[in-house]
Amino acid sequence: MTVRIVVVSHSEKIADGAVELAAQMAPDVVMIAAGGTADGRIGTSLEKVMSALEKAAGDDGVVVLTDLGSAVMTAESALEFAEDADSVLLADAPLVEGLVAAAVAAQGGASSHAVKRAAEAVYGHAPVTSPHPVVPVAEPVPAAEPVGSETTPDATGDFELINLAGMHARPAAQIAGGLAGLNADVTVNGADGASMTGLMTLGAGKGSVLHVEAFGPDAAKAIGYVGDLVQAGFGEP
């Protein structure tokens, strides 16, 4: 059993398509689409969302992803009528990217809160360089931190990408989704390891080396997780 996911969209086709896409990367996760109105028009349906929540109900919890603002309102209204509303979490994330990251996290056995974080981590990517100019400072430069300071990672690893397509959506989702379920802060070549978008923007192709740094109680596990995925080529040629 895994966390189940409900997708609420204004379009039935978008909801169905997003679920179809995510299912390619998380085949064991139950995902229920609740898109469009009951008569097939663009919009949202309280009855369809309530029905989806009932079908998705289970001991491991439910995470809901939505697209436009009124879809959020419909999902919130449906929750007011749900029998076990405490087991349902609404994720604030882009529908497609968030769903893929959430589905992969669920596939890996993450808790409902970790699945929600995986979806929302898509927002976590920040530009590598600041758009603001650097202001020269005349103050004396402080001494460098000694070796072993708090910035030293708890675990590191370097792994060469061997799959032909490199770091595209599926590998990025696998890494980000799995790391979201661990108690560790991880960077991959400086990008947030729990951010699928951040990983994809690395533009890492076949032969690129990923330098992974991890901090926290699950640091070694996180390095092992990323290393296993990369060395297995993410299951791709």
Side-chain angles (χ1 to χ4, degrees):
M1 186 71 74
T2 65
V3 172
R4 300 179 175 185
I5 300 174
V6 170
V7 177
V8 181
S9 170
H10 282 68
S11 166
E12 184 174 6
K13 291 181 179 178
I14 288 177
D16 290 344
V19 167
E20 182 182 13
L21 173 65
Q24 296 296 311
M25 306 172 207
D28 299 325
V29 178
V30 173
M31 290 176 275
I32 301 174
T37 64
D39 57 359
R41 292 178 292 109
I42 295 296
T44 55
S45 164
L46 178 62
E47 290 74 19
K48 291 186 75 170
V49 178
M50 289 177 60
S51 176
L53 290 177
E54 290 176 3
K55 293 177 181 175
D59 293 339
D60 295 304
V62 179
V63 174
V64 180
L65 286 103
T66 61
D67 54 6
L68 304 177
S70 58
V72 179
M73 296 174 61
T74 302
E76 291 174 339
S77 298
L79 270 177
E80 294 180 3
F81 296 98
E83 292 186 0
D84 189 12
D86 291 339
S87 68
V88 182
L89 302 176
L90 298 182
D92 180 12
L95 182 63
V96 176
E97 293 91 342
L99 173 60
V100 171
V104 172
Q107 179 76 25
S111 69
S112 58
H113 288 278
V115 170
K116 177 175 179 285
R117 286 198 302 273
E120 294 176 344
V122 173
Y123 277 139
H125 174 62
V128 174
T129 57
S130 169
H132 304 295
V134 176
V135 178
V137 178
E139 297 293 332
V141 178
E145 292 283 347
V147 175
S149 71
E150 61 182 6
T151 59
T152 301
D154 294 310
T156 65
D158 292 287
F159 309 104
E160 180 179 342
L161 290 172
I162 60 173
N163 60 313
L164 290 174
M167 187 61 71
H168 63 95
R170 182 175 175 275
Q174 285 183 288
I175 291 176
L179 292 181
L182 299 179
N183 186 10
D185 294 323
V186 183
T187 62
V188 179
N189 289 1
D192 181 359
S195 168
M196 188 177 77
T197 306
L199 293 171
M200 290 177 65
T201 56
L202 292 175
K206 181 183 179 184
S208 298
V209 175
L210 302 182
H211 177 65
V212 187
E213 296 186 347
F215 304 80
D218 288 340
K221 188 182 295 185
I223 296 296
Y225 174 75
V226 176
D228 288 345
L229 284 175
V230 174
Q231 291 163 357
F234 302 97
E236 300 176 346

